[in-house]
Amino acid sequence: MEAEKIVLPNGNTASLATTHTLTPVNDAQIKLVPVPSPATKVVVFLIGGAGDKKRFLGSGPNYNIQPAKPYLEKFSFSNIKPERQKDFDVEYLGYYEIFGNDNIEKNVIAAIPNKRTVIYIVGHSLGGWNGAHLSKILSDRGYDVRILVTLDPVGESPTLEFSSKIYSNTPAPIAKKWINVVAHPSSSNFTDFVAWMGEKWKITAGPDINTRVDTNHAEAITLLTAKLNNGDSAYKIITQSIYEVLSK
């Protein structure tokens, strides 16, 4: 429809805006407008053990699990489309930062955008023990814990309850997949003695993959990247899963 022309008091002409009828007033049919679903996001929680992120009994910080953060971020940068990289996050925490409801709310829940987010937990030493507890806490709250990786988890010694912020009961993990990697060195060092003192978590049933690796307790990245009994590494299994989520 052609716009109507009018003459303004100053002599200039102007056009009135035309109107468009979107729906007849007598048409009561409901119109459905498709709304795209928000993109699924991914958060990886790296949980360090004793002496990792802060000093413990005079040792550290040693940052044993921290190098996994740039490993994962490099993977994201190299393999995931730029527009999806913003949907990927890696959080590096100490085992004590996921102990108790207040810490979980502040350090974990606050980092998860929504319950559609896919969560990965990688815990080393005491971080494996508390990280296994975290997998159940989040799953019980309705979050999607896709993969849990416990790297030479420690926590069975009753004395640790008094010297460390760890859960007293044995974990009962809940995750779509659980990978447990145990350090079984042919040549032990001081860190293996420390793990022995803290009592390694003796896991005989539960994990989808449960493998020994010939390395020392402190070598978290070696435990994460070593070939397992299925031929893959925990790192490869995690990154493949992340790629599948973020490539959609």
Side-chain angles (χ1 to χ4, degrees):
M1 181 176 66
E2 185 177 351
E4 181 183 353
K5 303 286 186 180
I6 62 172
V7 179
L8 299 175
N10 61 7
N12 295 331
T13 59
S15 299
L16 294 176
T18 58
T19 59
H20 299 274
T21 302
L22 299 178
T23 305
V25 293
N26 60 349
D27 184 356
Q29 183 179 357
I30 296 174
K31 301 297 187 296
L32 299 178
V33 179
V35 177
S37 300
T40 302
K41 299 181 184 295
V42 165
V43 179
V44 182
F45 291 99
L46 301 175
I47 316 299
D52 192 313
K53 198 173 178 184
K54 72 174 185 178
R55 290 180 67 80
F56 179 82
L57 298 179
S59 175
N62 300 308
Y63 307 112
N64 295 315
I65 194 68
Q66 192 273 342
K69 181 176 171 66
Y71 272 41
L72 289 162
E73 290 170 341
K74 182 178 179 180
F75 160 80
S76 169
F77 182 79
S78 302
N79 296 278
I80 298 170
K81 292 180 180 179
E83 62 268 23
R84 293 290 269 139
Q85 289 171 8
K86 61 181 173 52
D87 298 320
F88 177 77
D89 183 32
V90 182
E91 297 289 330
Y92 168 47
L93 301 169
Y95 70 95
Y96 52 90
E97 293 181 290
I98 61 169
F99 176 77
N101 289 332
D102 289 346
N103 280 325
I104 288 174
E105 289 292 334
K106 179 177 66 175
N107 300 318
V108 178
I109 301 301
I112 304 173
N114 53 57
K115 288 194 174 179
R116 296 183 67 254
T117 302
V118 178
I119 298 166
Y120 299 82
I121 300 172
V122 181
H124 173 239
S125 191
L126 295 184
W129 179 274
N130 275 6
H133 276 282
L134 179 63
S135 73
K136 184 178 189 305
I137 292 168
L138 293 179
S139 294
D140 286 347
R141 293 192 187 188
Y143 290 95
D144 179 1
V145 181
R146 192 64 54 92
I147 296 178
L148 165 69
V149 178
T150 48
L151 303 173
D152 213 26
V154 172
E156 290 199 336
S157 173
T159 60
L160 283 173
E161 298 175 32
F162 304 102
S163 60
S164 309
K165 292 183 177 181
I166 65 167
Y167 296 92
S168 58
N169 56 310
T170 301
I174 300 177
K176 298 289 193 310
K177 182 186 289 290
W178 177 16
I179 303 168
N180 185 57
V181 188
V182 179
H184 188 69
S186 54
S187 179
S188 298
N189 62 19
F190 177 72
T191 66
D192 300 301
F193 172 74
V194 172
W196 176 78
M197 289 290 292
E199 291 192 34
K200 290 189 181 185
W201 179 14
K202 301 175 183 65
I203 302 171
T204 57
D208 299 278
I209 300 174
N210 195 6
T211 303
R212 291 179 173 183
V213 172
D214 184 1
T215 193
N216 301 106
H217 173 73
E219 302 301 323
I221 300 304
T222 301
L223 291 165
L224 181 63
T225 57
K227 281 191 176 182
L228 308 178
N229 51 14
N230 70 338
D232 291 330
S233 66
Y235 174 80
K236 183 177 180 180
I237 294 169
I238 288 173
T239 52
Q240 283 181 335
S241 177
I242 292 171
Y243 176 79
E244 289 171 4
V245 173
L246 294 182
S247 63
K248 294 179 180 178

Short mmCIF file of all heavy atoms in Angstrom, two decimals, residues 84-106:
data_model
loop_
_atom_site.label_atom_id
_atom_site.label_comp_id
_atom_site.label_asym_id
_atom_site.label_seq_id
_atom_site.Cartn_x
_atom_site.Cartn_y
_atom_site.Cartn_z
N ARG A 84 32.10 -21.60 19.42
CA ARG A 84 31.75 -22.51 20.52
C ARG A 84 32.79 -22.50 21.64
O ARG A 84 32.56 -23.05 22.71
CB ARG A 84 31.58 -23.92 19.99
CG ARG A 84 30.40 -24.11 19.07
CD ARG A 84 29.09 -24.02 19.85
NE ARG A 84 28.66 -25.34 20.33
CZ ARG A 84 28.14 -25.58 21.51
NH1 ARG A 84 28.01 -24.60 22.39
NH2 ARG A 84 27.76 -26.78 21.86
N GLN A 85 33.93 -21.87 21.41
CA GLN A 85 34.98 -21.85 22.43
C GLN A 85 34.54 -21.11 23.70
O GLN A 85 34.98 -21.44 24.80
CB GLN A 85 36.25 -21.23 21.86
CG GLN A 85 36.93 -22.12 20.84
CD GLN A 85 38.05 -21.43 20.10
OE1 GLN A 85 38.45 -20.32 20.45
NE2 GLN A 85 38.57 -22.07 19.07
N LYS A 86 33.63 -20.15 23.55
CA LYS A 86 33.12 -19.43 24.72
C LYS A 86 32.26 -20.32 25.61
O LYS A 86 31.98 -19.96 26.77
CB LYS A 86 32.31 -18.22 24.26
CG LYS A 86 31.08 -18.57 23.43
CD LYS A 86 30.32 -17.35 22.99
CE LYS A 86 29.20 -17.70 22.03
NZ LYS A 86 28.29 -18.74 22.50
N ASP A 87 31.86 -21.47 25.08
CA ASP A 87 31.02 -22.39 25.85
C ASP A 87 31.85 -23.43 26.59
O ASP A 87 31.32 -24.41 27.11
CB ASP A 87 30.02 -23.10 24.93
CG ASP A 87 29.07 -22.13 24.26
OD1 ASP A 87 28.63 -21.18 24.93
OD2 ASP A 87 28.77 -22.31 23.07
N PHE A 88 33.16 -23.22 26.65
CA PHE A 88 34.08 -24.17 27.27
C PHE A 88 34.85 -23.48 28.38
O PHE A 88 35.40 -22.39 28.19
CB PHE A 88 35.04 -24.72 26.21
CG PHE A 88 36.10 -25.65 26.74
CD1 PHE A 88 35.79 -26.96 27.05
CD2 PHE A 88 37.39 -25.21 26.94
CE1 PHE A 88 36.76 -27.82 27.54
CE2 PHE A 88 38.38 -26.06 27.42
CZ PHE A 88 38.06 -27.38 27.72
N ASP A 89 34.91 -24.11 29.56
CA ASP A 89 35.60 -23.50 30.69
C ASP A 89 36.33 -24.57 31.49
O ASP A 89 35.86 -25.71 31.61
CB ASP A 89 34.58 -22.79 31.60
CG ASP A 89 35.25 -22.07 32.76
OD1 ASP A 89 36.38 -21.58 32.60
OD2 ASP A 89 34.62 -22.00 33.84
N VAL A 90 37.50 -24.23 32.02
CA VAL A 90 38.27 -25.12 32.88
C VAL A 90 38.50 -24.42 34.21
O VAL A 90 39.04 -23.30 34.24
CB VAL A 90 39.63 -25.51 32.25
CG1 VAL A 90 40.36 -26.49 33.17
CG2 VAL A 90 39.44 -26.11 30.87
N GLU A 91 38.10 -25.05 35.31
CA GLU A 91 38.27 -24.50 36.64
C GLU A 91 39.29 -25.34 37.41
O GLU A 91 39.14 -26.56 37.52
CB GLU A 91 36.93 -24.50 37.40
CG GLU A 91 35.85 -23.63 36.78
CD GLU A 91 36.13 -22.15 36.94
OE1 GLU A 91 36.77 -21.78 37.94
OE2 GLU A 91 35.70 -21.37 36.07
N TYR A 92 40.32 -24.69 37.93
CA TYR A 92 41.37 -25.36 38.70
C TYR A 92 41.16 -25.06 40.18
O TYR A 92 41.22 -23.91 40.61
CB TYR A 92 42.73 -24.87 38.21
CG TYR A 92 43.92 -25.25 39.09
CD1 TYR A 92 44.09 -26.55 39.55
CD2 TYR A 92 44.87 -24.29 39.42
CE1 TYR A 92 45.19 -26.88 40.34
CE2 TYR A 92 45.98 -24.61 40.20
CZ TYR A 92 46.13 -25.91 40.66
OH TYR A 92 47.21 -26.23 41.44
N LEU A 93 40.90 -26.10 40.98
CA LEU A 93 40.59 -25.94 42.39
C LEU A 93 41.41 -26.90 43.24
O LEU A 93 41.85 -27.95 42.77
CB LEU A 93 39.09 -26.21 42.65
CG LEU A 93 38.09 -25.33 41.90
CD1 LEU A 93 36.68 -25.90 42.06
CD2 LEU A 93 38.15 -23.89 42.41
N GLY A 94 41.59 -26.54 44.50
CA GLY A 94 42.18 -27.45 45.46
C GLY A 94 41.12 -28.33 46.07
O GLY A 94 39.93 -27.97 46.08
N TYR A 95 41.52 -29.49 46.59
CA TYR A 95 40.55 -30.42 47.18
C TYR A 95 39.74 -29.76 48.28
O TYR A 95 38.55 -30.07 48.48
CB TYR A 95 41.28 -31.66 47.72
CG TYR A 95 42.10 -31.38 48.96
CD1 TYR A 95 41.57 -31.59 50.22
CD2 TYR A 95 43.40 -30.89 48.85
CE1 TYR A 95 42.33 -31.30 51.36
CE2 TYR A 95 44.16 -30.61 49.98
CZ TYR A 95 43.61 -30.81 51.23
OH TYR A 95 44.35 -30.53 52.34
N TYR A 96 40.34 -28.85 49.03
CA TYR A 96 39.69 -28.16 50.15
C TYR A 96 38.64 -27.16 49.66
O TYR A 96 37.75 -26.77 50.42
CB TYR A 96 40.74 -27.44 51.01
CG TYR A 96 41.65 -26.55 50.19
CD1 TYR A 96 41.34 -25.22 49.95
CD2 TYR A 96 42.81 -27.06 49.61
CE1 TYR A 96 42.16 -24.42 49.17
CE2 TYR A 96 43.63 -26.27 48.83
CZ TYR A 96 43.31 -24.95 48.61
OH TYR A 96 44.12 -24.17 47.83
N GLU A 97 38.73 -26.76 48.38
CA GLU A 97 37.78 -25.79 47.83
C GLU A 97 36.48 -26.43 47.38
O GLU A 97 35.56 -25.72 46.96
CB GLU A 97 38.43 -25.03 46.67
CG GLU A 97 39.58 -24.13 47.10
CD GLU A 97 40.19 -23.37 45.95
OE1 GLU A 97 40.85 -24.01 45.09
OE2 GLU A 97 40.02 -22.14 45.89
N ILE A 98 36.40 -27.76 47.46
CA ILE A 98 35.14 -28.42 47.12
C ILE A 98 34.63 -29.23 48.32
O ILE A 98 33.82 -30.14 48.17
CB ILE A 98 35.28 -29.34 45.88
CG1 ILE A 98 36.30 -30.46 46.13
CG2 ILE A 98 35.65 -28.53 44.65
CD1 ILE A 98 36.28 -31.54 45.05
N PHE A 99 35.10 -28.85 49.51
CA PHE A 99 34.67 -29.52 50.73
C PHE A 99 33.62 -28.66 51.44
O PHE A 99 33.88 -27.51 51.79
CB PHE A 99 35.87 -29.73 51.66
CG PHE A 99 35.50 -30.35 53.00
CD1 PHE A 99 35.23 -31.70 53.10
CD2 PHE A 99 35.42 -29.56 54.14
CE1 PHE A 99 34.89 -32.27 54.32
CE2 PHE A 99 35.09 -30.11 55.36
CZ PHE A 99 34.81 -31.47 55.45
N GLY A 100 32.43 -29.23 51.63
CA GLY A 100 31.37 -28.51 52.33
C GLY A 100 30.47 -27.72 51.39
O GLY A 100 30.89 -27.30 50.30
N ASN A 101 29.24 -27.50 51.82
CA ASN A 101 28.23 -26.85 50.98
C ASN A 101 28.62 -25.43 50.57
O ASN A 101 28.40 -25.02 49.42
CB ASN A 101 26.88 -26.83 51.70
CG ASN A 101 26.24 -28.21 51.77
OD1 ASN A 101 26.49 -29.06 50.91
ND2 ASN A 101 25.44 -28.44 52.79
N ASP A 102 29.17 -24.66 51.50
CA ASP A 102 29.52 -23.27 51.18
C ASP A 102 30.56 -23.21 50.07
O ASP A 102 30.45 -22.41 49.13
CB ASP A 102 30.04 -22.55 52.42
CG ASP A 102 28.94 -22.27 53.44
OD1 ASP A 102 27.76 -22.40 53.08
OD2 ASP A 102 29.28 -21.95 54.60
N ASN A 103 31.60 -24.04 50.16
CA ASN A 103 32.64 -24.06 49.13
C ASN A 103 32.09 -24.56 47.80
O ASN A 103 32.48 -24.06 46.74
CB ASN A 103 33.81 -24.94 49.57
CG ASN A 103 34.75 -24.22 50.52
OD1 ASN A 103 34.96 -23.01 50.41
ND2 ASN A 103 35.28 -24.94 51.48
N ILE A 104 31.22 -25.55 47.84
CA ILE A 104 30.65 -26.07 46.60
C ILE A 104 29.80 -24.99 45.92
O ILE A 104 29.88 -24.81 44.70
CB ILE A 104 29.84 -27.34 46.88
CG1 ILE A 104 30.78 -28.50 47.21
CG2 ILE A 104 28.96 -27.70 45.68
CD1 ILE A 104 30.10 -29.77 47.64
N GLU A 105 29.01 -24.27 46.69
CA GLU A 105 28.19 -23.20 46.11
C GLU A 105 29.07 -22.13 45.49
O GLU A 105 28.82 -21.66 44.38
CB GLU A 105 27.28 -22.59 47.17
CG GLU A 105 26.15 -23.48 47.63
CD GLU A 105 25.11 -23.73 46.55
OE1 GLU A 105 24.96 -22.88 45.65
OE2 GLU A 105 24.44 -24.78 46.61
N LYS A 106 30.12 -21.72 46.22
CA LYS A 106 30.98 -20.60 45.78
C LYS A 106 31.91 -20.97 44.64
O LYS A 106 32.09 -20.18 43.70
CB LYS A 106 31.79 -20.10 46.98
CG LYS A 106 32.74 -18.95 46.66
CD LYS A 106 33.45 -18.45 47.91
CE LYS A 106 34.39 -19.50 48.48
NZ LYS A 106 35.19 -18.98 49.63
#
